Structures are given as structure tokens and as C-alpha cells.
Amino acid sequence: MFEQVIGDGANLFIGIVAVLIGFAAALGYVDFQKTNKKENNEH
């Protein structure tokens, strides 16, 4: 019984962490693309 509750909580936690990491990676990628375009326009 307790193991199932802990398992559900761990799965939820891992899911939230995965979403946050994906979101941070997407923001970083978009920022990288913007910086790249600015550098290309300046040259």
C-alpha cells in the first residue's frame, strides 16, 4: 500500500521535473536562435 503511494508520487515528481527541464531547454534554444540571428545580421 505505502509502496504504491510512494511510486505514484515519484512518477508525478519525475513528470514535473521532465516538463521543467524540457521547458528550460526550449527557452534556452529559442534564446540561442535569437542570438544567432542577431550575430548573423551584424556581420
Side-chain angles (χ1 to χ4, degrees):
M1 180 179 168
F2 291 114
E3 289 177 6
Q4 186 60 48
V5 172
I6 293 170
D8 289 345
N11 288 340
L12 179 66
F13 178 73
I14 290 169
I16 291 170
V17 169
V19 168
L20 290 176
I21 290 173
F23 189 69
L27 283 177
Y29 180 73
V30 168
D31 191 45
F32 172 74
Q33 292 289 84
K34 285 180 182 175
T35 316
N36 245 359
K37 286 181 181 174
K38 286 179 183 173
E39 288 176 358
N40 287 342
N41 289 342
E42 288 173 3
H43 291 299

